[in-house]
């Protein structure tokens, strides 16, 4: 399995290569989609790829917020289909991150309402998800760029691990 620096290098290299291919072959390339995809891809590659289930560099990059990934770290076996599945791993991490963000948002509003003016945390969370639903319906290409960036970064990580392991066993 490559070390963190190698994974970082692969992430940057494949982000650049992906954008080059996009601009070379897309009928009408869109710079905003390219930026959105690249940003999501780099974020996912650096901080949300397959090794969050270990005490890895990715995990430590979350700093004081790394506790948010502790349940994932405890529940997901390393190099299983859940963490390193080519598509499934990225989908699971994206769903996990969305769930954690929702819970943190709800909990923050709930605590705020206890300390200050009353805020209906449940209604606010439902409104947040309604806004996300509107975004998904209004901007399907942006949604696809976000999801593809997140999922493909994990896929690239898993492929690098598989190739590295194959070479180590072979040679």
């Amino acid at each position: 399995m490559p070390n963190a620096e190698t994974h970082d290098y692969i992430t940057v290299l494949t982000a650049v290569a992906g954008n080059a291919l996009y601009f070379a072959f897309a009928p009408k390339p869109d710079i905003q989609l390219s930026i959105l995809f690249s940003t999501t891809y780099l974020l996912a590659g650096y901080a949300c790829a397959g090794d969050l289930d270990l005490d890895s560099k990715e995990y430590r990059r979350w700093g004081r917020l790394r506790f948010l990934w502790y349940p994932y770290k405890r529940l997901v076996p390393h190099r299983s289909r859940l963490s390193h599945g080519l598509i499934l791993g990225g989908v699971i991490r994206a769903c996990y991150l969305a769930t954690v963000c929702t819970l943190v948002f709800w909990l923050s509003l709930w605590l705020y309402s206890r300390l200050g003016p009353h805020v209906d945390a449940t209604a606010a969370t439902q409104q947040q998800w309604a806004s996300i639903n509107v975004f998904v319906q209004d901007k399907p290409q942006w949604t696809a760029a976000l999801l593809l960036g997140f999922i493909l970064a994990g896929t690239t990580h898993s492929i690098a691990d598989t190739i590295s392991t194959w070479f180590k066993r072979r040679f």
Side-chain angles (χ1 to χ4, degrees):
M1 166 162 87
N3 64 23
E5 289 76 22
T6 303
H7 274 300
D8 292 348
Y9 177 76
I10 291 168
T11 297
V12 171
L13 185 66
T14 53
V16 170
N19 271 300
L21 289 171
Y22 173 68
F23 281 102
F25 294 108
K28 290 176 68 178
D30 182 336
I31 189 73
Q32 291 177 328
L33 285 176
S34 172
I35 291 169
L36 186 61
F37 171 82
S38 297
T39 303
T40 306
Y41 186 90
L42 291 170
L43 171 71
Y46 277 96
C48 297
D51 291 339
L52 284 167
D53 52 354
L54 299 173
D55 188 23
S56 62
K57 194 168 190 177
E58 291 168 354
Y59 182 71
R60 290 187 306 273
R61 283 179 176 150
W62 282 85
R64 292 184 179 160
L65 295 177
R66 80 183 102 191
F67 73 91
L68 296 173
W69 289 96
Y70 186 75
Y72 176 89
K73 187 176 175 181
R74 298 298 297 167
L75 294 171
V76 176
H78 185 61
R79 294 198 80 181
S80 69
R81 287 184 182 170
L82 300 177
S83 68
H84 281 67
L86 292 183
I87 295 172
L88 184 61
V91 169
I92 286 174
R93 283 186 300 280
C95 291
Y96 179 86
L97 187 58
T99 301
V100 167
C101 287
T102 299
L103 290 172
V104 167
F105 179 73
W106 183 88
L107 183 61
S108 299
L109 289 175
W110 182 81
L111 287 171
Y112 175 75
S113 72
R114 296 297 175 254
L115 300 173
H118 178 71
V119 175
D120 185 352
T122 302
T125 304
Q126 288 171 345
Q127 185 177 355
Q128 172 201 19
W129 278 105
S131 297
I132 291 169
N133 188 35
V134 168
F135 175 85
V136 168
Q137 290 177 3
D138 289 349
K139 305 265 188 200
Q141 289 181 318
W142 286 35
T143 303
L146 285 165
L147 290 174
L148 277 173
F150 202 95
I151 292 167
L152 289 178
T155 300
T156 302
H157 177 99
S158 297
I159 290 171
D161 280 356
T162 301
I163 291 171
S164 174
T165 301
W166 183 84
F167 271 103
K168 285 177 183 177
R169 287 182 182 158
R170 185 92 165 136
F171 302 106

